[in-house]
Amino acid sequence: MRQDDFAIDNCLKCSVCNAACPVFGVNAQYPGPKQLGPELERLRLEGISADTEWLEYCLGCHRCDMACPHGVGVSEMIAHAKAKHHKPLVRGLRDWWFARPGLLGKLTTILPAISNFALSMKLARFFMSKVMRITPLRTFPAYTKPNLRTPPARTSEDRARLLFFPGCFIRYNRPDLGRKVIELLERNGFATEVAATECCGVPAAANGDAAQAHAMARANVKSLVAGVDAGMRVVTACSSCGYMLKTGFGGLLKDDRELAPAVQKIAASTLDVGELLIAQSDAGMLNTDFQQANMRLAYHAPCHQKSQGIGRPWFHLLRQIPGITIEDLDAGCCGMSGTYGFKQEKYKISVAIGQELFDSINASQPQMVATECATCQMQIEHGTDFKAIHPVEIMLQAYNGKII
Amino acid sequence: MKSTQVVIIGGGATGAGILWDLSLRGISAILLEQGDIANGATGRCHGLLHSGARYVAKDLETARDCLAENRIIKTIAPHCVEDIGGLMVQCPQDDPAFFEQWWRAAGDADIPSRRLNAEEALALEPNLAANILGAFTCPDAHVDVFRLVLANIEAAVGRGARFHTYSKVNSIQSADGRVRGVGYSNTLTGEKHEIACEVVINAAGGWAQEAAALAGVEVPVRCDKGTLLVLNHRPSSRVINRCRKSGDGDILVPAGPVCILGTSSMSVPGPDGLTASPEEINYLLQLGAELIPGVADARILRIFCGARALYVPAKVDSAGGREISRSYALFDHETLGGVGGFISIVGGKLTTYRLMAAAVCDCVAGKLGVQSECTTGKVPLRPVDDCKAHRRINELLPLPVAEKMERRLGPAVTRVIEAIDARPELAELVCECEMVTRAELEYVLGEASPIPAQTIADIGRRTRLGFGPCQGTFCGYRAMLAGFQTHRWTASQAAKEFSSYLHERWKGQALIQEGKQVEQLDLSHELYGADLSTCAYSGEPDGK
Ligand SMILES: Cc1cc2nc3c(=O)[nH]c(=O)nc-3n(C[C@H](O)[C@H](O)[C@H](O)COP(=O)(O)OP(=O)(O)OC[C@H]3O[C@@H](n4cnc5c(N)ncnc54)[C@H](O)[C@@H]3O)c2cc1C
Ligand code: SF4
Ligand code: SF4
C-alpha cells in the first residue's frame, strides 16, 4: 500500500455506487462496488483473504466511480483485487485467451478463411461451450486480413498530422472501419498516420491479467511517445482504447518512473475522433458538406465513452446532419463489457443488464442504432433486431450522400 | 446469598487473567465488573503486545518480562494476536547515540532484532518518511484486547468460574479484621446483591484507590491519561516505534483493519470523564506524520483516552508520569497491617497481565492453603478450531466473512452454523465494515454466549460491529432492530439503547477537526437528527 492510495479513506458508505452499478441492479447476490472496493480493501490490507469469485463479475464500466460523490476510485480498487484473484484452471485458460485478442487476431489472420470457418463450425462451438465455457449463443466477430495502413499523402498541402490508435478490433476485425476513420479525418483536413501499436490492454485488465495489461501499456507508450513528442495528437475510435490511453495507462504504470512522463503526455494528447470533430465544429471548422439524409437514429453512449468525461460528441455531431433525427437512449450499460458477455457463466447477467437498453431501442424503433463501441454493437444486435454501427460510418455516408 | 472463595473486582485484562488462573487451580471465583468487559485501560490502549523493545534501554527487567510474556501470549492465545512484528525507526531528529545504546541493550535482553538501513526499512514499509536513517526489527505484535479478555473469561467460565458485567462493587464486608463478602449493584437495573467470600482481589486499575477505600485501606497509585487516535486503515503493516527515549505520539499499531496512533501522557485526578484537547490531537498527528507523512491526511475514525494506573513507590516525587516505573506492584493488605483476605494489584501493562495474575493467584492460593502451581503459561486459552466447522462455515459464508467470524468465535462458530442452516436469512451482513452477520449478532446477544451482550456497544466489543468508518451509523441501527426482533429489548428499550449508543459513538468523533470523518458524522446527524429526535420513542406498543 502506498500513500497515494489513501483514497480508500474517502468512502462514507453512502451506497450511491451500489445504486449505479449495473451488475448489482440485476443480481442481488453481487456484493456491489462498495463492498468489493473500499470495504474489502481495508481487509485486504489487514491480510484477510478477501478473494471472491464475484470480482470476476465486475464489468469495469466505471459507473461506480462516476457516481461516487467522494472520489473513491472504486473500480480501480476492484481491478487490482481482480488481478490477484485466483481462478480455476479452465476459466483461467479461457480468460488468458480473452486477455489477448491481438494474439487470436494474429493467429487467425494468417489464414482468416479457415479460422473463421472453424469458429463457426458446430464441433468447434460445441468444444468452446462445453470445455472452454464460452456461450454458444453468440457469434464471434469475423477476423480478416489486417491490412490497415497509413495512406499515401493525397495532397501536397501542409495538413495537421494525427496518429491513429486503431486497437485490436479495428486492426484485426474491421480494418475497413479504420480506413473510414482516416477518410473522415481527411475530409476534415487532417493527415492521419496509423500507429504501430498493440491491443490497448483493456481486455487484459478486464480479465484480471495484470502482467499482460502492463506489457501492453508499456509497448504502446513506447511506440506512441515519439509521435506525441513531435506534436502529433493521438485519435481513437474505440471508447475503451480511448479510456485506456487517457486514464488506464496512468493507473497501470504509476510506479514506472521512466515511462510516467510519457504516459502523461500521451494522456494529454489523446482525443476520441468525435471529441476532435466536435471541437472542430465548435470552432466553426467542421466540414458540413453533408448531403440531405432521411433517417431516424438512436444513440447509445458506451460506458467507457462516458467515463472519459467528454460529454456526448457523436450525439451532437450526428444531429448536425440534415434529415437525421436522433434520440439519446440514455438506458445505462449494455452489459457486454468486451469478452464478459461471451463467458457462459456471465451470459445471463450480461443479457439481463442489457434489457433496459433493448427495451428502449424497441420502444424507439429507429432505423439504426449508433454507438462507438464494437462490443456494445454486438450486444445490441444480439438483444434486438436492430443494426448498430459506428457513428463514423454514418457521418462518412452523409458526406457521400449514401444515407437513405 | 451467593458464596464463593474469591471475588475479583475489575474485568480488565488483569482481572480476567486472575479468573482464568484461579479456575485452573480449582479455586472458585466470581468476577464483578462495573461496565462491560475491558471497560477500563484495557479497552482503551494501543493493544501493543510489547516485545520489550520499547523499554529495553531504560528498564531491562520490564523488557525481559515483556519479551517472555510476548512469547507466551503468542502461543497460548494465537487467535488474539496478529504477529506482525515491529520496527524501531531511527529518525534524523533523534539522538544517534541512543540508537547504539538501544542496539546494545536489545542484545543484552536477547530481543531478536536485525539492523536495517533506510532502503531496507523503506522497502518493508514504503509509507515511512523518506528521510529515516534506518530501523531495527523487533517481535512486537498486536493483541486484540477485547478478544484477549473474552478468551480468558470464556475459558474460566468453561471451568465453572462466574462473571458478571454491569456489577459495581460498592461495599466490602469484613469482620474480625478479615473480609467476609462484597455488596454490589447492577448498574443497568439498580438491583443490589451480596456475595460471601474469603478473599477479595482489587484489580480495579485506575479505580484501585476507590476500591481499596471500600476495605478501608490505601494504595499508592496515580492516574496518567493517554490519548489515542484510530486511523481508518493501516498505513503500515508492522508496529512502528520511534527509536528514542520514550516520548509522546511515537507508536503506530496496526490493529485489525485500523491503526492506532498515540499516545500522550498527562497526570489526571481519576479515570473518569477523560477528554482530549485539540492541541493534544494536533500534536499527536504532527508526531505521527514525522514517522509516516501520510498520517497528516489520513482519516481519523475516533479519538479516545485511557488512564494508566501508575504505581507510585514511596520515594518518587510527582514529576513526569514516565519517570515512575511501569512495573506492577502487589499489595497483600493483611501483611501490610490492613484487612485480611484483601489483595490489590496495580500498575503493570497489558502485556504482563498473565504474569501479574500469576503473582496474585500464588498469594491467594497461599492464603487458602491450596497447593498449586500456575499453569496459564502452558494451557491454550481456546481449543483448536474444528475442521468440519471450518469447511461448513466457508460453504455458508463468503471468505472474508467466514475468516473474520472464525477468528472471533473459534469453536463457538458451530452455533452460528446451526443458526444459518436453520434460517439462511441470518447470513445477512449487519456490519459491512467488520463483516458481522446477523447470526453472529444474535449469538452474542443470546443466552448461549458465555457473556451475553447487554448493549449495542457490548456487541461491538465482541464482534467489532460499529468499529469501522460509519461508526455505528448503519450497523448500530440494524443491531437495535435485531435486539428488538429477538425480544432482547422492548421497542422503547431498543430506541433508548440506540440513542445512547449513537451519542457515545458521536462523542468519540466530536473531537475530530477535519476530513472525511467530519462528513461521516454530518451524515449520521442528518440521518438521525443531531438531537436524535428521529429516534425518540414514545409509547409502548405492547411488545410488538
Ligand atoms: C493510552 C494507553 C495505552 C496503553 N498501551 C498499552 C500497550 O500498547 N501495551 C500494553 O501492554 N499496555 C498498554 N497500556 C497499559 C494497559 O492498558 C494497562 O496496564 C492494562 O490494561 C491494565 O489492565 P487492568 O485490568 O489492570 O486495569 P483496567 O483495564 O483499567 O481494568 C479495571 C477494571 O475495573 C473495573 N472497576 C473499577 N472499579 C470497580 C468496581 N468498584 N466494581 C466493579 N468493577 C470496577 C473497571 O470498570 C475496569 O474495567 C496502555 C495504557 C493506556 C492508558
Ligand atoms: S465508494 Fe463512494 S459512492 Fe460508494 S459508498 Fe463509498 S462514498 Fe459512497
Ligand atoms: S465497475 Fe461497473 S460493474 Fe464494476 S463495480 Fe463498478 S459499477 Fe459495478
Side-chain angles (χ1 to χ4, degrees):
Chain A
M1 228 274 316
R2 306 176 63 96
Q3 235 137 275
D4 43 307
D5 298 335
F6 274 50
I8 181 186
D9 282 351
N10 287 352
C11 178
L12 294 197
K13 315 195 58 87
C14 61
S15 299
V16 170
C17 52
N18 283 355
C21 173
V23 183
F24 199 64
V26 300
N27 188 325
Q29 276 181 300
Y30 182 64
K34 178 173 75 155
Q35 188 165 111
L36 290 177
E39 274 170 6
L40 286 186
E41 190 66 14
R42 286 173 79 236
L43 306 189
R44 288 179 205 119
L45 291 172
E46 186 191 341
I48 299 281
S49 37
D51 192 18
T52 154
E53 192 180 327
W54 286 116
L55 287 166
E56 287 180 34
Y57 284 77
C58 166
L59 301 160
C61 67
H62 311 302
R63 283 179 184 263
C64 44
D65 307 331
M66 288 185 274
C68 173
H70 299 282
V72 172
V74 192
S75 70
E76 201 184 323
M77 269 175 220
I78 299 177
H80 278 301
K82 208 186 219 183
K84 294 196 187 118
H85 164 62
H86 193 76
K87 286 177 204 168
L89 184 68
V90 171
R91 272 216 312 278
L93 206 64
R94 176 197 66 193
D95 291 359
W96 189 90
W97 273 106
F98 275 170
R100 290 163 178 77
L103 182 59
L104 200 62
K106 271 180 208 148
L107 285 182
T108 51
T109 49
I110 298 171
L111 286 168
I114 293 183
S115 25
N116 285 329
F117 174 67
L119 279 175
S120 62
M121 234 169 38
K122 278 221 174 82
L123 193 70
R125 297 185 65 139
F126 179 81
F127 169 79
M128 291 201 294
S129 141
K130 288 290 173 271
V131 182
M132 295 296 282
R133 318 239 345 113
I134 297 170
T135 176
L137 299 170
R138 292 192 194 264
T139 30
F140 271 94
Y143 281 92
T144 178
K145 257 203 163 53
N147 51 7
L148 178 66
R149 289 192 188 87
T150 304
R154 290 202 192 162
T155 59
S156 53
E157 55 183 287
D158 197 16
R159 295 181 147 210
R161 285 168 63 234
L162 300 171
L163 200 51
F164 175 41
F165 183 96
C168 36
F169 182 75
I170 288 180
R171 196 181 286 282
Y172 295 108
N173 303 89
R174 291 287 312 276
D176 63 306
L177 176 60
R179 280 189 288 277
K180 286 177 184 167
V181 170
I182 295 171
E183 190 183 337
L184 184 67
L185 290 169
E186 151 102 41
R187 292 219 182 205
N188 279 281
F190 296 100
T192 309
E193 189 178 306
V194 178
T197 45
E198 305 274 341
C199 170
C200 69
V202 160
N207 282 288
D209 195 333
Q212 176 70 3
H214 275 103
M216 293 291 98
R218 267 194 299 274
N220 285 322
V221 170
K222 283 184 186 154
S223 80
L224 287 171
V225 70
V228 171
D229 276 340
M232 287 167 98
R233 280 177 292 173
V234 180
V235 287
T236 55
C238 161
S239 20
S240 296
C241 295
Y243 153 77
M244 201 58 171
L245 266 62
K246 289 177 175 180
T247 322
F249 288 171
L252 285 167
L253 301 177
K254 70 174 165 215
D255 289 334
D256 191 327
R257 273 197 218 148
E258 193 192 329
L259 289 184
V263 168
Q264 268 185 5
K265 262 188 270 173
I266 293 168
S269 319
T270 301
L271 294 163
D272 181 84
V273 185
E275 191 184 4
L276 177 78
L277 293 179
I278 200 86
Q280 291 291 101
S281 163
D282 289 348
M285 286 160 65
L286 184 76
N287 173 358
T288 52
D289 239 347
F290 300 119
Q291 309 290 314
Q292 177 69 30
N294 177 19
M295 181 170 252
R296 245 183 30 260
L297 290 174
Y299 174 70
H300 164 67
C303 295
H304 286 175
Q305 188 274 325
K306 288 197 159 183
S307 70
Q308 289 182 37
I310 52 174
R312 294 160 302 164
W314 277 115
F315 175 69
H316 294 292
L317 283 167
L318 293 181
R319 277 203 319 171
Q320 298 184 24
I321 299 171
I324 282 193
T325 54
I326 179 164
E327 181 186 347
D328 182 11
L329 293 165
D330 195 16
C333 173
C334 77
M336 187 66 183
S337 180
T339 54
Y340 188 101
F342 282 102
K343 300 174 182 175
Q344 205 149 40
E345 74 281 6
K346 296 176 180 89
Y347 173 77
K348 263 203 185 130
I349 290 189
S350 164
V351 175
I353 294 171
Q355 199 56 50
E356 188 187 341
L357 177 61
F358 306 154
D359 289 347
S360 87
I361 294 173
N362 287 330
S364 162
Q365 289 287 319
Q367 280 157 284
M368 228 182 242
V369 182
T371 187
E372 297 101 296
C373 169
T375 60
C376 293
Q377 289 161 17
M378 285 179 214
Q379 177 81 328
I380 290 167
E381 292 183 355
H382 182 70
T384 69
D385 293 331
F386 295 91
K387 193 169 167 46
I389 68 171
H390 198 292
V392 160
E393 301 194 61
I394 297 171
M395 194 162 171
L396 197 61
Q397 284 175 12
Y399 286 133
N400 295 337
K402 283 199 201 137
I403 307 188
I404 8 106
Chain B
M1 189 165 60
K2 276 189 273 196
S3 80
T4 181
Q5 286 175 289
V6 181
V7 166
I8 306 159
I9 309 175
T14 313
I18 296 170
L19 191 69
W20 171 229
D21 195 331
L22 289 178
S23 76
L24 282 175
R25 296 179 200 238
I27 298 170
S28 72
I30 299 180
L31 196 163
L32 300 174
E33 164 55 54
Q34 64 183 358
D36 187 32
I37 52 155
N39 176 57
T42 303
R44 294 156 209 266
C45 80
H46 260 124
L48 169 55
L49 187 64
H50 284 288
S51 63
R54 180 131 179 102
Y55 306 114
V56 73
K58 191 180 82 187
D59 182 349
L60 197 60
E61 203 170 327
T62 301
R64 285 202 167 117
D65 280 352
C66 284
L67 182 61
E69 287 303 306
N70 172 294
R71 289 181 171 141
I72 293 174
I73 308 301
K74 282 178 188 172
T75 50
I76 60 165
H79 63 292
C80 303
V81 178
E82 279 181 275
D83 196 359
I84 49 183
L87 294 181
M88 300 290 297
V89 177
Q90 303 151 10
C91 293
Q93 302 94 318
D94 299 333
D95 175 13
F98 183 81
F99 306 156
E100 298 314 314
Q101 187 193 340
W102 187 91
W103 181 244
R104 279 193 306 276
D108 292 342
D110 283 330
I111 296 177
S113 176
R114 273 187 310 132
R115 196 188 257 275
L116 305 177
N117 62 29
E119 202 181 324
E120 290 165 326
L122 284 165
L124 290 181
E125 292 295 349
N127 286 340
L128 281 172
N131 67 356
I132 60 161
L133 304 173
F136 303 112
T137 63
C138 64
D140 279 351
H142 165 247
V143 56
D144 183 324
V145 289
F146 300 114
R147 289 251 63 80
L148 183 68
V149 172
L150 269 176
N152 275 281
I153 297 171
E154 285 178 3
V157 168
R159 292 182 63 91
R162 279 169 288 173
F163 178 85
H164 300 296
T165 52
Y166 298 101
S167 300
K168 184 178 168 73
V169 175
N170 33 35
S171 66
I172 295 176
Q173 285 86 42
S174 50
D176 311 325
R178 295 202 62 78
V179 296
R180 300 290 176 197
V182 301
Y184 68 97
S185 55
N186 184 309
T187 54
L188 297 176
T189 63
E191 271 172 66
K192 290 191 176 355
H193 306 272
E194 282 183 5
I195 303 175
C197 64
E198 296 163 58
V199 174
V200 174
I201 299 169
N202 171 10
W207 294 264
Q209 267 175 337
E210 277 173 44
L214 298 178
V217 295
E218 267 188 53
V219 286
V221 289
R222 193 167 72 53
C223 281
D224 183 72
K225 181 187 86 170
T227 297
L228 293 169
L229 312 183
V230 185
L231 309 183
N232 179 41
H233 75 270
R234 314 158 57 129
S236 70
S237 48
R238 291 166 184 74
V239 176
I240 305 293
N241 294 279
R242 189 154 166 178
C243 189
R244 61 168 176 182
K245 277 198 184 122
S246 300
D248 291 335
D250 49 8
I251 312 183
L252 250 127
V253 183
V258 300
C259 187
I260 302 179
L261 167 70
T263 164
S264 49
S265 166
M266 209 174 277
S267 271
V268 285
D272 293 306
L274 304 176
T275 56
S277 67
E279 296 77 40
E280 207 178 335
I281 296 161
N282 287 336
Y283 176 59
L284 286 176
L285 276 176
Q286 185 201 322
L287 287 172
E290 284 177 21
L291 279 168
I292 293 191
V295 163
D297 306 314
R299 172 169 173 181
I300 307 169
L301 289 184
R302 65 188 287 113
I303 295 172
F304 62 84
C305 307
R308 308 174 182 89
L310 297 184
Y311 157 55
V312 200
K315 272 180 267 146
V316 174
D317 65 55
S318 58
R322 286 212 170 68
E323 300 315 312
I324 299 169
S325 164
R326 290 193 173 222
S327 53
Y328 63 90
L330 185 151
F331 301 97
D332 179 353
H333 296 283
E334 189 166 356
T335 56
L336 291 169
V339 58
F342 189 64
I343 301 169
S344 293
I345 176 85
V346 294
K349 256 165 275 303
L350 173 74
T351 308
T352 55
Y353 85 95
R354 193 204 63 88
L355 194 66
M356 290 153 69
V360 171
C361 297
D362 284 345
C363 175
V364 173
K367 286 191 187 306
L368 296 174
V370 178
Q371 287 284 332
S372 70
E373 236 180 61
C374 173
T375 50
T376 52
K378 296 187 202 101
V379 185
L381 275 170
R382 188 164 96 176
V384 282
D385 295 351
D386 134 26
C387 303
K388 233 174 80 198
H390 173 77
R391 271 201 306 279
R392 184 72 190 124
I393 197 70
N394 277 288
E395 283 160 20
L396 287 174
L397 296 171
L399 259 175
V401 184
E403 185 172 338
K404 283 240 145 191
M405 179 147 67
E406 268 193 301
R407 277 199 197 184
R408 289 190 288 254
L409 294 184
V413 89
T414 48
R415 299 269 183 179
V416 172
I417 294 174
E418 284 160 20
I420 298 179
D421 274 334
R423 289 164 59 207
E425 71 272 18
L426 291 184
E428 171 203 347
L429 275 187
V430 176
C431 169
E432 293 153 326
C433 298
E434 304 289 347
M435 306 273 141
V436 183
T437 59
R438 173 106 184 203
E440 185 179 356
L441 189 147
E442 289 192 2
Y443 166 71
V444 300
L445 265 179
E447 291 304 322
S449 81
I451 314 142
Q454 311 280 329
T455 68
I456 301 175
D458 292 4
I459 298 173
R461 284 180 280 267
R462 284 154 185 77
T463 63
R464 289 187 66 88
L465 173 134
F467 281 23
C470 89
Q471 288 288 300
T473 298
F474 303 110
C475 51
Y477 184 79
R478 295 181 195 133
M480 166 187 77
L481 288 181
F484 168 68
Q485 283 159 352
T486 55
H487 306 293
R488 192 71 170 73
W489 298 312
T490 64
S492 65
Q493 275 172 340
K496 210 171 130 229
E497 175 47 37
F498 181 55
S499 155
S500 69
Y501 169 71
L502 209 54
H503 269 298
E504 192 274 327
R505 290 274 109 185
W506 286 354
K507 213 178 104 197
Q509 298 166 77
L511 290 167
I512 301 165
Q513 290 150 32
E514 54 184 12
K516 277 292 161 190
Q517 201 60 27
V518 175
E519 287 176 47
Q520 185 82 63
L521 185 60
D522 276 350
L523 180 65
S524 193
H525 286 167
E526 282 300 324
L527 280 171
Y528 300 111
D531 56 353
L532 273 173
S533 52
T534 39
C535 309
Y537 185 85
S538 56
E540 188 75 30
D542 310 317
K544 293 220 174 78

